[in-house]
Amino acid sequence: MPRLDLEAAARAAGQAADLARGEILSRFRSVAVEQKSDGSPVTEADRAAERVIRAHLRQAFPTLAIVGEEYGEEGSREGPRWVIDPIDGTIGFSRGIPLFTTLIALVEDEEPLVGLIDCPALDERYLGWRGGGCRRNGVPTRVSQETDLRRAIISHGDPFTFDLYGERAAFDRMARELPLLRGYTDAFGHAQVLGGGVGAMVDLCLNPWDMAATRVLVPEAGGRCVQLPPRGGKGGLVFGAPALVEQLLGFLSVA
């Protein structure tokens, strides 16, 4: 296969996210919620957004496979593939909270090459590709360069995920020792790390589409992103300012 044009792929991801915004924002605070077979919520906004993302990416790169949270896999299991989460933070979205995101990544051999985190209700988008840097609404952005955990805002995913991942002791220690610990969950928290406001984040019990964009965007924004060993079929990430990530890994038994 010819070498991928990553900048062109990033443009296509951005165009797909534009289309998804139309489907999502038109339904925000006016959509019914259903339960999927695994108990997680889903709305017509999730499905409609994924459909338009898939259609655009398929047209732009017809040979690439696509994996999405709502409609599964299409195309070959080998070679590059798009990984999509049309609405990350569906619970908040369904309750009118404007901190949901759209996630798109291009992955090859399990390594993300392009990443996008779009915050439709906030009109903020983080977009980047391997070797191309990370930009927020077109302006280069960098992670925090803080080195002291006591001064940094540190974010985490839902506390119950630490129980599921076998890391409750790590959460309890973070709660005791970190004065600026905050629960900016889901990819909204990831975006705040990319913007530099949040110094680092520990996020556990993640699916591949939850992690892929962040795994490429954080290094492109000058940070460190550590993928933790899977537990119970789910992954985990510790990412942000390099010095803070190194210290946070010491809180975890799995690191």
Side-chain angles (χ1 to χ4, degrees):
M1 174 178 290
R3 184 169 180 171
L4 288 167
D5 183 338
L6 299 184
E7 187 172 359
R11 276 197 305 274
Q15 292 161 354
D18 288 339
L19 295 170
R21 277 193 183 193
E23 301 294 342
I24 293 167
L25 292 178
S26 65
R27 294 172 170 87
F28 184 43
R29 295 178 175 154
S30 62
V31 69
V33 184
E34 305 169 36
Q35 294 296 121
K36 293 191 284 191
S37 59
D38 64 0
S40 62
V42 66
T43 72
E44 179 52 29
D46 295 80
R47 297 188 182 107
E50 184 165 324
R51 287 195 297 267
V52 296
I53 292 171
R54 282 176 178 266
H56 184 77
L57 296 179
R58 193 184 301 119
Q59 181 181 43
F61 290 87
T63 64
L64 301 188
I66 301 176
V67 179
E69 181 175 12
E70 306 307 333
Y71 290 104
E73 298 184 21
E74 65 175 88
S76 173
R77 293 197 173 191
E78 301 199 2
R81 66 189 184 280
W82 294 103
V83 180
I84 303 164
D85 187 350
I87 300 180
D88 183 69
T90 298
I91 292 175
F93 171 82
S94 70
R95 300 184 188 191
I97 299 171
L99 305 183
F100 54 88
T101 61
T102 294
L103 307 178
I104 302 175
L106 180 61
V107 177
E108 184 173 26
D109 296 329
E110 304 306 320
E111 290 298 320
L113 304 176
V114 172
L116 175 146
I117 299 177
D118 192 46
C119 307
L122 305 180
D123 193 27
E124 289 191 355
R125 177 174 300 166
Y126 295 80
L127 178 62
W129 61 91
R130 184 70 54 85
C134 176
R135 293 169 176 79
R136 177 175 56 197
N137 292 355
V139 179
T141 187
R142 304 287 288 177
V143 302
S144 169
Q145 296 306 300
E146 181 59 75
T147 60
D148 189 340
L149 284 174
R150 294 168 297 177
R151 291 195 302 258
I153 294 177
I154 303 298
S155 188
H156 58 80
D158 293 321
F160 79 90
T161 64
F162 286 78
D163 292 318
L164 296 176
Y165 212 74
E167 291 288 352
R168 184 69 196 194
F171 180 81
D172 291 343
R173 182 182 168 194
M174 290 166 64
R176 286 195 310 270
E177 298 183 14
L178 305 183
L180 297 179
L181 186 66
R182 299 288 186 269
Y184 300 131
T185 62
D186 304 318
F188 171 75
H190 298 207
Q192 304 320 299
V193 173
L194 292 168
V198 171
M201 183 170 182
V202 180
D203 206 4
L204 306 178
C205 290
L206 303 176
N207 291 303
W209 44 78
D210 300 319
M211 299 186 286
T214 300
R215 288 176 55 209
V216 65
L217 290 174
V218 169
E220 291 300 324
R224 182 182 178 194
C225 184
V226 176
Q227 187 172 6
L228 302 174
R231 285 184 172 177
K234 301 282 189 173
L237 296 177
V238 183
F239 56 94
L244 300 178
V245 169
E246 183 63 28
Q247 294 170 69
L248 287 170
L249 289 173
F251 284 59
L252 298 163
S253 66
V254 72

